Amino acid sequence: MSSKLRHIAIFSGMTILGDGSVIMVIDPNVLAQPLGRAAPSQSEASTHTAEREPKSRQNTISLLIFRATSDRPKAVPLSLVSRIEEIDCRNIAIADGRYIVKYRDALLPLLSFDMQVQVKREGAQPILVLSEQNRSVGLLIDEIVDLAEEKLDVKITGDQPGILGYALVRGITTEILDVEFFLAGNGSLGRAA
Amino acid sequence: MTDYITFTTAGQLFGLPIEHVQDVFTLANITCVPLAGREIAGVLNLRGRIVTVIDLANRLQLDAPRDATAHMVIGIERGAESFGILVDRVGEVLSLADRDREPAPVNLDRTLNAAAIGVFRLDEKILVALDADRMLDFGSSRSSAAQ
């Protein structure tokens, strides 16, 4: 936070978005103060404690639920997703027989669960950016469905490439994304032979 | 002799010792910061660093009309922070002799006087030489200027 802006209580910091622009991060507790509401950690926690306690004891994590190449929901721990982006399909290029997109200062390989999928050449394409150290890949998805706080218990290991297995997320059988599979460069989309 | 980068804002010519200057760039994609005060033009991203941009005319409380078309930013570093000085136009670098620098006139506005280290009489204009630290010394961080 800039030394010149630190005194503004409503902003807790600033960050750079995927498109390079800077945005101010709002502190919701400060925003709520003029409305006369206490910080959630104080008053609301007491009324919701009964509901939340069982889950908090089970170590829930944030899961990003999405759809890609099929109607069955897929999920991935949000902490493993570097960014959720929507790329302009006109920026997609083909290099060495593979689809890539210019992303920030690097080239992001585009991967998919279905290697035969037709890549859109115009409009917006949502992707999940998965990163590890200095390696990043972009996974094509159809849409983000939701965010859930769940205990992740992968029950049946999957034999499908790109899937770790299945878990119950909000009572629905959900495919759990195998991040390592894609970070290793598998699922790379190539031109149809 | 000291090299000064010269710039104009609100019709007045200024100079800043070039040793403090890292960048000169055109203003683009600035994010305004509400509640920040008139001196802050906003924040922007310069090669991955967040730069706090200071509106020089507002900082020095200059009333003259601004040149609305040209907006240049002079990037300087102070400590671990990057700042940008928003000016109307950036001119050339001038080498000026320290002995030619005169104290700021007594009738110079107080805010301007506080940020200036002196003036130079050039052919037909007066150049106000600014001190980077004093120019950045405003607002809530003023009390910690000793650091």
Side-chain angles (χ1 to χ4, degrees), chain B residues 74-88:
Chain B
I74 297 170
I76 63 181
E77 303 267 311
R78 185 162 97 157
E81 283 191 80
S82 299
F83 291 97
I85 315 298
L86 177 62
V87 301
D88 290 347

Side-chain angles (χ1 to χ4, degrees), chain A:
Chain A
M1 186 55 148
S2 167
S3 62
K4 299 292 179 202
L5 304 174
R6 218 164 268 154
H7 64 285
I8 310 174
I10 203 167
F11 297 128
S12 61
M14 35 192 198
T15 188
I16 300 178
L17 293 180
D19 67 356
S21 57
V22 180
I23 55 163
M24 304 305 295
V25 180
I26 290 179
D27 183 339
N29 290 335
V30 177
L31 193 59
Q33 276 164 23
L35 301 174
R37 303 189 68 199
S41 56
Q42 291 155 22
S43 68
E44 280 172 43
S46 54
T47 52
H48 292 301
T49 301
E51 283 175 45
R52 284 188 183 168
E53 242 182 335
K55 276 197 173 174
S56 66
R57 286 209 197 105
Q58 290 173 29
N59 297 316
T60 59
I61 59 170
S62 288
L63 286 176
L64 181 70
I65 305 171
F66 63 98
R67 253 181 263 281
T69 72
S70 78
D71 284 337
R72 267 200 308 275
K74 296 179 169 60
V76 61
L78 189 62
S79 57
L80 297 179
V81 178
S82 171
R83 287 207 117 95
I84 302 167
E85 295 276 5
E86 216 171 62
I87 53 171
D88 186 337
C89 291
R90 292 171 299 177
N91 293 333
I92 297 176
I94 298 175
D96 196 27
R98 302 193 290 178
Y99 285 96
I100 55 167
V101 67
K102 185 171 183 299
Y103 178 69
R104 291 178 138 183
D105 289 329
L107 294 174
L108 200 67
L110 289 180
L111 312 175
S112 172
F113 288 94
D114 176 3
M115 309 233 320
Q116 308 303 320
V117 78
Q118 282 286 73
V119 177
K120 286 197 294 182
R121 297 316 294 273
E122 56 174 33
Q125 168 68 57
I127 61 169
L128 297 183
V129 181
L130 308 171
S131 295
E132 183 186 62
Q133 306 206 317
N134 48 10
R135 216 170 19 134
S136 289
V137 295
L139 178 62
L140 295 182
I141 62 171
D142 294 336
E143 59 168 354
I144 302 282
V145 173
D146 207 345
L147 206 58
E149 281 286 325
E150 293 274 326
K151 178 175 176 249
L152 187 60
D153 183 11
V154 183
K155 294 219 177 294
I156 308 169
T157 44
D159 50 7
Q160 230 188 306
I163 300 293
L164 266 182
Y166 300 86
L168 274 180
V169 178
R170 289 190 174 160
I172 299 173
T173 304
T174 305
E175 297 174 333
I176 305 301
L177 177 66
D178 181 355
V179 174
E180 273 310 308
F181 175 83
F182 291 102
L183 278 173
N186 297 305
S188 181
L189 292 167
R191 261 183 292 208

